Amino acid sequence: MPSGSGSRPIDIAFWEFLVVLVYMVLVGVVFSRKKAINIKQHPEYKYYLWGIYSKIIGGVLFSLTYVYYYDNGDTISYFRSAVPLANLALKDPVMFFQALFADNTPENRYLFFDQETGYPIPYVYYDSRTYWLVRLISPLVLFSFKSYLLATAFVSTIAFGGVWSLYRTFVRYYPTLRWQLALAILFFPSTLFWGSGIMKDTFTFTALCLYISSLDAFFFLKRDRLRAGSIGLVASALMIAMKPYIFMMIFPAGLLWAMHRRVSRIRNSLVRVLFLPMAMAALGFLVIVTLESLGDRLNKFSLDKALETIVVSQNDLKRGEQYGDNYFDLGELEPTWSSVFSKLHVATFAGLFRPTILEAKNVVVMLAALENAWLLVFSITILIRSRLVHLITLIRSNPLLQMCFLFSLGYAFMIGVTTPNFGAMIRFKIALLPLYVSALFITDLILKRWRAASNRGLGFQFKTFVDGDPERAT
């Protein structure tokens, strides 16, 4: 590992920058070939190279920020905790694989590691969720010659695969929005920065993207279902292992998407009306049973502990002596669901649109605030153009929009009510951004078609978009 300079836990040597540049050239060669093979049949591949380069650059900027601006951070601790595993692989490959899958107990910490390999940082090692990340990145740390910068570039490249799969899934439904969806999914600044480095956010964000694309492949494309199901299970396991609340939000939203698509295809309106309540009841039952069965794995996010977690998180993260003024206060929160849901509008607004420009205290928060200002203006524009009534009708008739908005609004409420610290909320928020921004662009497209039809005196039905853009090529 590069030796630190001054008070920094690590530093980045000049050779690391050179190796990353060479790596990007090699990535360009490999990805250019794939682009050339696919672009004639799939025009969205015009953004393929730009997407992977943006992802790697986002990871590099993230790394440089934490090394030279913050001087430390969880990302560096994760890397430093993976270095002992990489050293163990060089010293004893058999013991490395044993350590990789062994429980993170005090006994195992001293059984597998010594002064020669170094020891994982205690707070990282003893937290099962963070140590999962260390396990995943340890082979990358080994292959990167224990370079923090190159390991980050590897992580960014791998993470791009999930993001690209989500982009292609959405483009399949709305191909006329290739650029807009690329902005929402591939190039949105926050997701490029916070979702490309050595952090749990990167892996869970990628898992979320893979989960959604696997749902589409399994239920709608109906091709290679074994592969799609396997990817969905692995993505679910990653979310549950690192950030189970993301899975708790996308699981019901994804099932609603799959169920509504099937219900909407029932031609007989009477059968559809009779079947819908039964399907909704079955959906609710399945969600509750699944989340209950995962209680031990969800730990403090399980259904019976969620209320306590919300109140404790709210009180902990807004402590002024620990976080300074970089937090907002929702007001008194009692350990009752009625008290929690009384903050629904305030917390959801905060999760979507805060911090505001007036609340920005540093450069990082200001950049997020500018992004939030754009999101707020775009959202208000959609509300005005739709006259609200039409927006409700549109969402009710569009399964994909239902999934996007249900997850985005539910997740925004969840992070708003549990994460009053702006710094943490900016990171947590990246999971909702691609779905929310994509939903805004899709809604805007449909509203423009509605207005154009109305201006020409033509009839228009929002339900014609139930399977995506009806004008897309079949």
Side-chain angles (χ1 to χ4, degrees):
M1 179 174 65
S3 59
S5 61
S7 61
R8 291 194 188 105
I10 64 171
D11 206 344
I12 300 176
F14 180 70
W15 69 265
E16 295 181 67
F17 290 98
L18 294 179
V19 172
V20 169
L21 286 175
V22 172
Y23 174 74
M24 291 184 69
V25 172
L26 294 175
V27 165
V29 172
V30 174
F31 279 62
S32 292
R33 177 170 175 77
K34 188 170 183 180
K35 173 185 174 181
I37 293 172
N38 289 279
I39 195 167
K40 289 184 178 180
Q41 291 186 329
H42 307 286
E44 65 270 19
Y45 269 86
K46 67 184 291 186
Y47 301 113
Y48 194 58
L49 271 180
W50 288 109
I52 184 60
Y53 279 143
S54 298
K55 195 72 173 170
I56 295 174
I57 292 171
V60 169
L61 291 177
F62 174 86
S63 301
L64 297 179
T65 300
Y66 270 87
V67 171
Y68 296 114
Y69 181 73
Y70 290 122
D71 286 332
N72 207 339
D74 287 340
T75 177
I76 294 173
S77 297
Y78 299 153
F79 173 78
R80 292 177 62 201
S81 297
V83 169
L85 272 171
N87 290 335
L88 182 61
L90 295 173
K91 176 184 177 182
D92 190 333
V94 174
M95 189 170 284
F96 163 74
F97 283 104
Q98 293 175 348
L100 197 62
F101 299 104
D103 292 334
N104 49 321
T105 62
E107 294 79 13
N108 283 336
R109 184 169 182 264
Y110 291 101
L111 173 64
F112 293 113
F113 305 104
D114 53 29
Q115 293 294 330
E116 183 180 351
T117 62
Y119 295 93
I121 296 174
Y123 92 88
V124 175
Y125 182 78
Y126 293 124
D127 186 325
S128 297
R129 303 192 189 285
T130 57
Y131 198 61
W132 257 109
L133 171 62
V134 173
R135 289 184 172 105
L136 289 173
I137 67 170
S138 58
L140 303 179
V141 172
L142 176 63
F143 294 136
S144 69
F145 313 106
K146 292 176 279 188
S147 160
Y148 173 61
L149 198 65
L150 185 56
T152 299
F154 288 165
V155 168
S156 303
T157 305
I158 295 170
F160 176 72
V163 179
W164 180 253
S165 70
L166 180 67
Y167 171 64
R168 292 206 64 203
T169 295
F170 277 47
V171 165
R172 189 168 67 82
Y173 289 99
Y174 295 94
T176 58
L177 294 177
R178 289 188 189 94
W179 160 242
Q180 292 89 335
L181 293 173
L183 173 61
I185 300 172
L186 301 179
F187 303 123
F188 212 71
S190 282
T191 56
L192 282 177
F193 185 80
W194 298 107
S196 302
I198 299 177
M199 293 287 279
K200 287 186 291 184
D201 306 277
T202 300
F203 287 87
T204 51
F205 174 59
T206 302
L208 173 68
C209 295
L210 287 171
Y211 181 82
I212 295 170
S213 60
S214 69
L215 284 181
D216 178 63
F218 188 89
F219 287 106
F220 308 133
L221 286 178
K222 299 180 181 179
R223 293 200 301 263
D224 203 357
R225 280 185 158 179
L226 179 60
R227 178 176 180 271
S230 300
I231 291 174
L233 288 175
V234 171
S236 300
L238 275 175
M239 288 186 281
I240 292 170
M242 295 187 190
K243 293 196 172 186
Y245 50 84
I246 297 180
F247 177 77
M248 293 176 70
M249 292 293 173
I250 193 57
F251 181 64
L255 283 182
L256 177 64
W257 178 33
M259 183 204 70
H260 193 173
R261 275 284 302 276
R262 290 184 177 274
V263 173
S264 65
R265 291 179 176 181
I266 299 175
R267 294 180 179 273
N268 189 301
S269 59
L270 178 60
V271 174
R272 189 167 59 246
V273 169
L274 292 175
F275 181 73
L276 185 60
M278 293 188 293
M280 291 299 293
L283 173 64
F285 178 77
L286 180 59
V287 169
I288 292 173
V289 168
T290 302
L291 295 182
E292 284 285 359
S293 67
L294 293 171
D296 291 340
R297 296 182 182 180
L298 298 180
N299 197 3
K300 65 180 181 178
F301 300 102
S302 61
L303 296 181
D304 59 332
K305 298 179 182 178
L307 183 60
E308 178 186 354
T309 300
I310 289 172
V311 176
V312 170
S313 300
Q314 174 75 203
N315 292 332
D316 176 65
L317 285 174
K318 68 180 183 184
R319 286 182 298 168
E321 68 272 16
Q322 182 173 349
Y323 296 104
D325 297 325
N326 195 30
Y327 72 90
F328 63 94
D329 193 350
L330 291 177
E332 288 299 319
L333 195 62
E334 299 177 1
T336 64
W337 285 114
S338 60
S339 177
V340 170
F341 284 113
S342 70
K343 310 295 183 182
L344 178 64
H345 60 296
V346 181
T348 303
F349 182 89
L352 287 174
F353 307 120
R354 295 181 74 174
T356 64
I357 293 175
L358 297 178
E359 294 168 324
K361 304 289 184 181
N362 56 54
V363 175
V364 174
V365 177
M366 175 57 76
L367 293 175
L370 292 172
E371 193 176 83
N372 290 338
W374 179 83
L375 276 177
L376 180 58
V377 171
F378 195 4
S379 301
I380 292 174
T381 302
I382 292 293
L383 288 174
I384 294 173
R385 288 176 179 173
S386 67
R387 304 172 192 172
L388 188 58
V389 175
H390 296 293
L391 178 62
I392 295 173
T393 303
L394 192 164
I395 294 174
R396 283 179 57 191
S397 63
N398 193 299
L400 182 60
L401 287 181
Q402 285 180 12
M403 187 265 291
C404 290
F405 280 122
L406 177 61
F407 174 79
S408 300
L409 297 178
Y411 188 79
F413 167 67
M414 188 275 298
I415 61 173
V417 81
T418 60
T419 317
N421 174 260
F422 285 138
M425 190 167 67
I426 290 170
R427 284 193 295 111
F428 296 165
K429 182 181 176 179
I430 66 168
L432 71 83
L433 285 172
L435 298 189
Y436 185 70
V437 179
S438 294
L440 292 180
F441 280 125
I442 293 169
T443 302
D444 187 51
L445 169 70
I446 299 174
L447 290 175
K448 286 178 179 177
R449 299 273 180 86
W450 163 65
R451 288 198 308 273
S454 299
N455 291 336
R456 294 198 300 267
L458 302 175
F460 186 88
Q461 291 185 324
F462 290 119
K463 66 180 181 181
T464 58
F465 286 82
V466 68
D467 290 320
D469 189 346
E471 297 183 10
R472 74 183 190 274
T474 58

